Amino acid sequence: MSKVVTTYHQRVAQEKRALIVTAATALFLELGYDRTSLARIAERSGVSRATLFKQFPSKAALFDAIVTESWATADEEDPPSAGNIVDGLSTIGRRYAELLSRPQMTDLFRIVIAELPRFPELANAQFSHGKMPYFESVRGYLLAEHEAGTVRIEDVELAATQFLGMISNYVFWPTLLVPGWKVSAERVAQVVDEAVHTIAARYAAPGPGPSTHD
């Protein structure tokens, strides 16, 4: 099979996968996870049942794909190199704010919250396949800055939580809970900038002590 034909089939498969994930997300929100069948998802997405089952043999596998798609930035972009905490956190902060601003992220959390009493495994999937890998990438970056001597952070897990929380508490949670809530791009940039400088100031590496010489 030629490379051109292979590439074509891969592109078609990716397009169908995107249609399936979009249809499944919409149906989970409309009908609930339990009442949404794979057959209904195939019908909504416009693909055959055989195509759907080939890509997603179960509803759980399909939900995992929704999680992966929602947190895709964590896999697509490497964390910045250590050496400048302000530049590095600014990059991470902008990426995180953009990630939280995606409609599919809000959709994911709404599905998980709505279905949590009956399907706790959805929350587990969201946590283990989405949030934690992303969190670990940020924690790893802060650890690299600590080891490089740029900052002094004894508890990198706490520092990562502080940084991400300062952004998500303003950018994401009101949007999730309050219909029609909007945050301007200028305000988001300000929130990220303040979070960056708060962490940089809190964990600044101590400078040299005062000279003992006259």
Side-chain angles (χ1 to χ4, degrees):
M1 185 178 294
S2 70
K3 182 177 180 180
V4 173
V5 174
T6 300
T7 302
Y8 168 77
H9 285 302
Q10 290 174 341
R11 179 171 57 81
V12 170
Q14 290 171 352
E15 290 173 352
K16 289 183 177 180
R17 178 186 177 89
L19 288 172
I20 293 168
V21 169
T22 299
T25 302
L27 285 168
F28 289 158
L29 285 168
E30 292 172 18
L31 305 176
Y33 182 80
D34 189 34
R35 291 195 296 159
T36 300
S37 66
L38 289 177
R40 190 186 291 268
I41 293 170
E43 180 182 0
R44 172 72 68 91
S45 61
V47 305
S48 68
R49 295 187 187 186
T51 296
L52 187 147
F53 281 104
K54 182 177 180 180
Q55 295 219 28
F56 304 107
S58 68
K59 199 157 55 172
L62 183 46
F63 184 79
D64 286 346
I66 292 174
V67 173
T68 300
E69 293 289 335
S70 299
W71 290 91
T73 297
D75 298 323
E76 294 172 353
E77 299 173 326
D78 294 327
S81 301
N84 187 316
I85 188 70
V86 171
D87 287 351
L89 284 182
S90 294
T91 297
I92 292 173
R94 288 192 299 269
R95 290 176 181 174
Y96 189 53
E98 188 277 330
L99 181 69
L100 295 179
S101 299
R102 297 177 183 177
Q104 58 262 46
M105 182 62 75
T106 306
D107 291 344
L108 171 63
F109 271 80
R110 284 177 176 156
I111 293 169
V112 169
I113 291 170
E115 301 292 354
L116 183 59
R118 291 184 302 164
F119 299 99
E121 64 270 20
L122 300 185
N124 292 333
Q126 138 78 338
F127 190 77
S128 60
H129 299 314
K131 183 172 180 59
M132 277 310 296
Y134 189 90
F135 179 85
E136 282 300 313
S137 71
V138 178
R139 191 191 70 82
Y141 165 75
L142 289 174
L143 179 60
E145 291 286 12
H146 172 77
E147 292 176 343
T150 313
V151 290
R152 185 171 182 175
I153 307 176
E154 299 301 330
D155 190 339
V156 290
E157 182 173 325
L158 177 59
T161 301
Q162 291 168 334
F163 179 64
L164 297 178
M166 281 189 282
I167 297 172
S168 64
N169 282 348
Y170 198 99
V171 174
F172 179 71
W173 290 108
T175 303
L176 179 70
L177 299 173
V178 181
W181 182 276
K182 300 291 183 182
V183 182
S184 69
E186 293 77 15
R187 187 61 166 168
V188 170
Q190 181 185 6
V191 169
V192 170
D193 188 60
E194 289 294 329
V196 168
H197 286 90
T198 297
I199 292 297
R202 166 64 181 85
Y203 295 106
S211 174
T212 57
H213 301 287
D214 294 330

